């Protein structure tokens, strides 16, 4: 299929591996909530991998930058997006590394639709989940039932891409191949650090920019990529950041893996440096013996490979048990819900129907109420006492002063809790009659208050609490640097921050806080965030029906929770 398999963020970042963010339809928080409510049909969890061949070239000066989107066709004809792959730059024969997880129900028909898009270069660096598909060039679509894939002997199905509208002359748009594998839960994780020495130089005026791709060989032939390291610029003796792989990805320690080394080229046609076949057991042996393995390249003599001087070393190898989100929750850990609501004047007069705070007498929920209800319904399930701190910010309170963190229930300091989601809704409605909308939009005080509660919980013995702060806002954050400082300071605490943007404001500052498409946040003192704890979703995208607010907000929460637990070496309660 060629050597084009780089992601969109400059095409140089690592992809895949269990250190990467969980993507698409693999949401433990939401899944566990619904199954615990009694929705427990029998199903098998399936992982779908994708590749394509001979895609239509939509660009003029380069090749297409394809991304694949998977939809489920519902009984009413509507489409539900299940997930997106990464973007691969300058490539007409992509092999995507990102997988899509789906529950296979043998007793029902599950129609799937696959759309392939060429992502415009102006969107490179933007998180794929926020890409507006209508702004991208549509390459083609294909459809099948999930059962058609899993019943194939090799569990692979190749489909011809079609245009959205039938035309008299149908161009060749290429094909897409879907491979299905049953996922097997495994707690055993292997963390490996690779380095190389004496790699061949493929560049003329500089040195190679190498990266590794690791693929699992399958019994039916071929291979499935499972991870790619980042690119190391201008270096023939590179050392990469550690990658983590679990048994679900590589099968067993004896499963053959294909390890390939390439020289990165911005054109997408990466230069092949060498390859080798090694299992996890082989890599462990290299680490224990402190030996290197030589890369090979195919020789003109059939059945023989040329041995290169370049070698692969394993500098770090460790196997450990890695617990899941459900392992913690089912053992007694809790998610403590907190909410903060924007009372700035940009929301409009609450007495007027065009206000974002307008309470409709017919019972129709405004955007703030929708966000509270939808997110709260899920999060409250994980909190045993269902007593939630609720604050407002940016409003003039009864004292006559503007407050950037006041109790929504009107109570004195230290009494911010209300009972359940209904309590939040009631306190919010009451506050609209007593608080005058003001400004500016400051996040720092609210985040610092939530962080203080998380700090106090952390200092208690054997704490099992993890805090989730929901901020609902309509405006541009005024204290962006102060908010960044607050997020960075809270990044090593048991806290995640969910931000919902309502209305039509410019939310570019929120994307900065989210930090999905850039480096980790850095405070004004130079401190780098210990981990990503912010997830932002604009409500207008939800209202367009592109995504579910609960899925979009909570998709990163299990990984953020696990990241904290693992950083502190906190294990589930036995």
């Amino acid at each position: 299929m060629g050597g084009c398999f780089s992601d969109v963020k400059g095409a140089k970042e690592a992809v895949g591996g269990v250190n990467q963010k969980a993507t698409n339809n693999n949401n433990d928080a939401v899944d566990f909530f619904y199954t615990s409510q009694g929705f427990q049909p029998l199903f098998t969890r399936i992982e779908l991998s994708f590749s394509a061949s001979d895609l239509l070239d939509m660009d003029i000066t380069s090749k297409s930058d394809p991304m694949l989107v998977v939809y489920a066709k519902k009984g009413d004809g509507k489409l539900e997006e299940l997930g997106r792959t990464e973007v691969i730059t300058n490539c007409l024969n992509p092999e995507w590394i990102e997988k899509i997880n789906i529950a296979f129900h043998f007793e029902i028909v599950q129609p799937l639709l696959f759309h392939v898009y060429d992502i415009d270069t102006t969107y490179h660096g933007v998180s794929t989940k926020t890409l507006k598909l209508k702004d991208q060039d549509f390459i083609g679509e294909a459809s099948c039932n999930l059962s058609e894939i899993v019943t194939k002997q090799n569990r692979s199905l190749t489909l011809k891409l079609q245009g959205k509208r039938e035309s008299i002359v149908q161009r060749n748009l290429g094909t897409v191949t879907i491979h299905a594998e049953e996922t097997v839960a495994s707690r055993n994780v292997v963390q490996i650090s690779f380095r190389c020495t004496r790699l061949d130089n493929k560049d003329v005026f500089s040195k190679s920019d190498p990266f590794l791709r690791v693929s699992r060989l399958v019994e039916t032939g071929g291979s499935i990529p499972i991870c790619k390291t980042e690119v190391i610029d201008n270096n023939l003796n590179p050392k990469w950041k550690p990658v983590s792989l679990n048994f679900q990805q590589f099968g067993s320690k004896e499963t053959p893996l294909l390890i390939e080394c390439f020289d990165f080229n911005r054109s997408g046609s990466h230069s092949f440096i060498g390859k080798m076949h090694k299992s996890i057991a082989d890599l462990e042996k290299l680490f224990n013996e402190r030996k290197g393995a030589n890369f090979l390249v195919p020789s003109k003599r059939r059945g023989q490979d040329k041995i290169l001087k370049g070698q692969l070393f394993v500098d770090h190898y460790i196997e450990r048990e890695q617990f899941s989100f459900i392992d913690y929750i089912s053992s007694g850990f809790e998610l403590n819900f907190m909410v903060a609501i924007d009372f700035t004047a940009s929301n409009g007069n609450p007495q007027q129907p065009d206000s974002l705070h307008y309470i409709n007498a017919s019972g129709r929920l405004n955007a703030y109420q929708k966000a509270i209800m939808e997110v709260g319904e899920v999060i409250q399930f994980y909190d045993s006492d269902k007593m939630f701190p609720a604050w407002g910010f940016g409003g003039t309170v009864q004292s006559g002063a503007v407050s950037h963190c006041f109790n929504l229930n009107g109570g004195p300091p230290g009494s911010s809790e209300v009972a359940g989601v209904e309590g939040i809704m009631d306190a919010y409605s009451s506050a609209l009659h007593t608080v005058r909308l003001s400004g500016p939009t400051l996040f720092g005080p609210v985040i610092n208050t939530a962080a203080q509660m998380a700090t106090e919980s952390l200092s208690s013995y054997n704490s099992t609490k993890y805090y989730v702060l929901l901020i609902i806002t309509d405006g541009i954050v005024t204290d962006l640097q102060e908010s960044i400082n607050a997020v960075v300071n809270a990044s090593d605490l048991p806290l995640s921050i969910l931000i919902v943007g309502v209305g039509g404001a410019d939310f570019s500052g929120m994307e900065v806080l989210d930090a999905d498409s850039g480096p980790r946040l850095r405070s004004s003192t130079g401190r780098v965030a210990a981990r990503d704890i912010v997830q932002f979703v604009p409500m207008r995208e939800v209202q367009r029906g592109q995504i579910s607010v609960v899925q979009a907000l909570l998709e990163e929460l299990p990984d953020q929770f696990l990241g904290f637990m693992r950083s502190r070496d906190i294990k589930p309660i036995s």
Side-chain angles (χ1 to χ4, degrees):
M1 300 289 284
C4 47
F5 31 75
S6 300
D7 68 318
V8 71
K9 299 176 186 177
K12 288 192 172 184
E13 292 193 358
V15 181
V18 297
N19 278 344
Q20 302 299 310
K21 289 180 180 177
T23 58
N24 313 312
N25 201 37
N26 189 19
N27 194 333
D28 279 348
V30 178
D31 285 351
F32 187 53
F33 166 71
Y34 285 119
T35 55
S36 297
Q37 298 303 298
F39 300 100
Q40 299 181 0
L42 296 175
F43 62 84
T44 300
R45 183 64 67 176
I46 298 293
E47 183 181 76
L48 300 180
S49 304
F50 308 94
S51 61
S53 296
D54 302 321
L55 294 179
L56 184 67
D57 195 350
M58 308 293 288
D59 296 340
I60 298 175
T61 58
S62 61
K63 297 175 183 177
S64 295
D65 305 321
M67 177 184 78
L68 184 140
V69 185
V70 184
Y71 299 92
K73 291 183 182 179
K74 296 302 183 180
D76 57 4
K78 293 183 179 179
L79 298 179
E80 176 191 0
E81 182 176 318
L82 300 181
R84 305 178 180 189
T85 66
E86 77 275 21
V87 178
I88 295 183
T89 55
N90 295 308
C91 186
L92 303 183
N93 299 287
E95 292 181 83
W96 290 284
I97 293 178
E98 295 290 356
K99 320 297 182 188
I100 307 296
N101 285 275
I102 183 171
F104 169 56
H105 302 259
F106 76 92
E107 74 279 10
I108 61 175
V109 176
Q110 295 176 266
L112 300 177
L113 181 65
F114 310 96
H115 282 185
V116 180
Y117 290 88
D118 173 29
I119 305 304
D120 190 276
T121 53
T122 57
Y123 294 93
H124 289 191
V126 175
S127 173
T128 55
K129 74 174 185 289
T130 62
L131 287 174
K132 296 179 181 178
L133 298 179
K134 64 181 179 61
D135 295 336
Q136 315 305 324
D137 291 329
F138 179 76
I139 296 178
E141 67 178 19
S143 61
C144 70
N145 293 328
L146 181 57
S147 57
E148 294 181 70
I149 307 170
V150 299
T151 54
K152 290 287 185 183
Q153 187 173 7
N154 60 359
R155 293 197 173 185
S156 292
L157 181 66
T158 298
L159 303 168
K160 286 187 177 181
L161 291 173
Q162 306 290 330
K164 281 188 176 179
R165 296 181 178 85
E166 292 296 331
S167 58
I168 299 177
V169 179
Q170 181 68 55
R171 292 184 293 177
N172 179 20
L173 305 177
T175 62
V176 60
T177 298
I178 308 101
H179 180 80
E181 288 193 324
E182 183 176 349
T183 61
V184 179
S186 174
R187 290 178 178 170
N188 294 321
V189 175
V190 176
Q191 187 177 70
I192 304 174
S193 295
F194 292 113
R195 70 176 171 90
C196 287
T197 61
R198 304 177 69 187
L199 293 178
D200 280 3
N201 191 12
K202 298 295 181 179
D203 295 341
V204 177
F205 300 107
S206 61
K207 296 176 182 177
S208 295
D209 307 316
F211 66 91
L212 299 177
R213 181 175 74 160
V214 181
S215 304
R216 184 181 73 254
L217 300 179
V218 294
E219 293 179 0
T220 54
S223 60
I224 298 175
I226 55 177
C227 78
K228 176 180 81 68
T229 68
E230 77 277 14
V231 174
I232 304 295
D233 290 333
N234 197 36
N235 197 326
L236 301 183
N237 300 284
K239 181 176 182 179
W240 293 277
K241 295 176 182 177
V243 298
S244 291
L245 301 172
N246 59 37
F247 278 78
Q248 176 181 314
Q249 293 173 299
F250 58 76
S252 74
K253 292 182 69 172
E254 285 69 39
T255 300
L257 300 177
L258 172 63
I259 302 174
E260 299 167 288
C261 186
F262 293 88
D263 171 30
F264 173 84
N265 292 309
R266 292 195 175 275
S267 66
S269 299
H270 308 305
S271 301
F272 176 72
I273 294 178
K275 67 176 183 178
M276 66 179 65
H277 290 94
K278 296 291 179 185
S279 65
I280 294 294
D282 294 331
L283 296 175
E284 181 182 18
K285 186 177 180 181
L286 289 180
F287 170 74
N288 290 332
E289 296 180 354
R290 298 295 191 270
K291 291 182 178 179
N294 293 83
F295 283 101
L296 308 173
V297 294
S299 173
K300 294 181 179 179
R301 295 183 179 181
R302 182 174 298 181
Q304 293 186 1
D305 290 328
K306 179 182 177 182
I307 301 176
L308 301 177
K309 293 181 179 179
Q311 288 190 316
L312 176 76
F313 290 84
V314 177
D315 279 354
H316 172 80
Y317 177 99
I318 185 172
E319 294 181 33
R320 54 189 171 87
E321 190 175 24
Q322 186 161 272
F323 298 98
S324 71
F325 173 78
I326 294 176
D327 289 331
Y328 286 93
I329 295 300
S330 60
S331 75
F333 283 76
E334 296 188 356
L335 301 181
N336 288 70
F337 186 39
M338 304 180 285
V339 66
I341 296 176
D342 185 338
F343 278 77
T344 57
S346 54
N347 283 280
N349 185 347
Q351 304 303 316
Q352 301 298 319
D354 60 350
S355 170
L356 292 168
H357 280 310
Y358 180 70
I359 305 294
N360 194 307
S362 68
R364 181 181 177 184
L365 301 182
N366 64 33
Y368 283 88
Q369 291 172 312
K370 286 180 181 177
I372 293 169
M373 287 294 291
E374 293 184 27
V375 177
E377 180 188 34
V378 175
I379 295 295
Q380 73 169 351
F381 171 75
Y382 299 91
D383 191 325
S384 59
D385 67 4
K386 294 181 173 50
M387 296 297 294
F388 308 131
W391 305 294
F393 59 93
T396 301
V397 295
Q398 292 179 338
S399 65
V402 176
S403 174
H404 299 293
C405 186
F406 57 89
N407 292 340
L408 206 60
N409 60 10
S415 60
S416 61
E417 289 189 336
V418 298
V421 175
E422 288 301 324
I424 300 175
M425 297 286 277
D426 291 342
Y428 164 60
S429 298
S430 297
L432 289 174
H433 296 291
T434 60
V435 177
R436 179 164 54 87
L437 305 192
S438 185
T441 305
L442 307 182
F443 283 1
V446 165
I447 295 175
N448 288 331
T449 301
Q452 180 60 36
M453 296 182 70
T455 300
E456 292 171 0
S457 171
L458 190 62
S459 63
S460 63
Y461 175 73
N462 196 27
S463 175
T464 58
K465 296 183 182 298
Y466 187 90
Y467 292 84
V468 180
L469 170 63
L470 172 65
I471 300 176
I472 314 172
T473 181
D474 85 307
I476 303 171
V477 59
T478 307
D479 63 337
L480 182 57
Q481 186 57 58
E482 289 76 10
S483 297
I484 291 174
N485 292 346
V487 170
V488 172
N489 290 336
S491 64
D492 60 353
L493 296 173
L495 174 68
S496 285
I497 302 170
L498 312 177
I499 304 176
V500 174
V502 297
D506 176 10
F507 291 120
S508 56
M510 309 301 177
E511 299 290 356
V512 173
L513 290 175
D514 196 326
D516 271 350
S517 56
R520 287 187 178 179
L521 293 179
R522 183 184 295 271
S523 72
S524 54
T525 62
R527 179 184 175 186
V528 177
R531 58 194 179 91
D532 175 21
I533 64 171
V534 178
Q535 175 74 341
F536 167 71
V537 172
M539 195 72 169
R540 56 177 175 252
E541 299 299 332
V542 177
Q543 292 169 334
R544 289 173 184 164
Q546 295 184 11
I547 51 179
S548 156
V549 64
V550 176
Q551 289 281 2
L553 279 173
L554 301 185
E555 69 175 357
E556 295 182 9
L557 183 56
D559 277 346
Q560 292 176 0
F561 174 94
L562 291 172
F564 172 78
M565 296 302 166
R566 291 166 185 166
S567 70
R568 300 276 179 141
D569 196 27
I570 300 173
K571 294 180 173 58
I573 302 170
S574 56

